Amino acid sequence: HIKEVGFELYQSMLEDAILEAKAKGSGLQVASDSFSPQITVDAPILIPENYVPDLSLRMGLYRRMNGLKTRQEIESFAAEMIDRFGLLPEQVKTLFRVTALKLRCEPLGITKVDVGAEHGRIEFGAQTEIDPMVLVRMIQDNPQRYRLEGATMFRFNAPMAGVELRLNTVEALIDRLAQAPQDTPVKGKGKRP
C-alpha cells in the first residue's frame, strides 16, 4: 500500500484513521489544525527493503522519522541508521532531505511543494508567514522564471533534471521566501542596510 500511495499519504491516512477510531471510542471530536507540508520531488523517497528487510522495523523507522522536529534530530537519526544498517542508500538520503525541507516549510505556512524536471510549484496556506513583497520582487526580477497564480500558488521554471538539483533548487527558493522584506533588494537598487 505504501508503494501505491507514497509514504506521506499513507502515514497521514494511518494517523487520521487512528485518531478517528480513538475519537469514536471516547465520543470526542477530531481536531485537524496541524498540518504537514506535502513534498513531491518525482523521485523514490523510502527506506528500501534491501536496506532494512524487516517490515515492522521499517514502519517503526518511518514513525520515528515522522516525529523529528529539528535539523539536529534528523542528523542524529541519520547517524543512528548508518550505525545500525550501513551507508544510506540514495532513497533514504532523499527521504532525510525531504523531511528537513518539511521542517523548513511548516513555519512559513507552505502546504505543498511539487517539483518536476523543468518546473515546480509551491502552495501557501491561508496563514502563510511569507511576505508578499518578497514574492513580488522575485517575480519582478525574473518574470520568465517565477509567477504567482491566484493568492496561494507560486510557480517556477528551471532545468532540474536530477533529484539533487530539484532539492537544491527548492531549498534555495525556501531560503529566499523566508527572507524578511528588508533583506530583499529592490530592482535596480542595492541591498538596503
Side-chain angles (χ1 to χ4, degrees):
H1 287 38
I2 293 173
K3 285 182 182 178
E4 291 178 17
V5 299
F7 167 70
E8 288 183 41
L9 181 57
Y10 179 81
Q11 186 75 18
S12 176
M13 290 167 56
L14 185 62
E15 287 174 4
D16 290 346
I18 291 170
L19 286 173
E20 190 174 316
K22 285 181 180 179
K24 281 183 183 177
S26 61
L28 297 173
Q29 194 74 346
V30 179
S32 71
D33 56 350
S34 70
F35 77 96
S36 177
Q38 185 179 13
I39 313 285
T40 307
V41 294
D42 196 24
I45 304 172
L46 55 95
I47 301 171
E49 190 174 332
N50 61 356
Y51 184 63
V52 180
D54 183 75
L55 176 62
S56 62
L57 181 55
R58 273 197 323 272
M59 292 305 293
L61 293 171
Y62 282 128
R63 275 192 296 278
R64 281 188 58 200
M65 185 168 287
N66 197 40
L68 301 176
K69 300 294 181 205
T70 67
R71 186 144 190 87
Q72 292 77 20
E73 288 177 2
I74 292 171
E75 290 170 1
S76 175
F77 189 52
E80 178 185 330
M81 285 185 68
I82 291 169
D83 285 345
R84 287 178 71 182
F85 307 108
L87 293 176
L88 300 175
E90 288 304 313
Q91 302 99 317
V92 179
K93 289 178 186 176
T94 303
L95 179 60
F96 276 111
R97 283 190 71 186
V98 167
T99 301
L101 190 57
K102 281 179 156 190
L103 294 179
R104 294 175 66 193
C105 289
E106 205 170 322
L108 295 173
I110 294 174
T111 59
K112 188 174 188 178
V113 176
D114 189 7
V115 187
E118 295 181 11
H119 49 80
R121 68 178 187 204
I122 297 174
E123 292 184 34
F124 310 109
Q127 302 299 317
T128 185
E129 295 296 320
I130 295 170
D131 189 285
M133 288 309 296
V134 172
L135 292 169
V136 169
R137 289 190 177 117
M138 286 175 70
I139 294 167
Q140 283 176 343
D141 288 345
N142 197 342
Q144 291 79 28
R145 184 168 186 179
Y146 305 116
R147 75 178 190 269
L148 199 57
E149 286 185 6
T152 62
M153 190 177 305
F154 181 69
R155 291 196 176 268
F156 58 95
N157 301 312
M160 301 173 286
V163 68
E164 181 77 17
L165 189 53
R166 286 182 204 133
L167 288 167
N168 290 341
T169 301
V170 170
E171 288 167 349
L173 272 174
I174 299 302
D175 286 344
R176 287 186 71 186
L177 293 173
Q179 291 179 338
Q182 66 271 16
D183 293 340
T184 56
V186 177
K187 190 172 184 174
K189 298 185 179 182
K191 205 174 198 177
R192 287 195 226 167

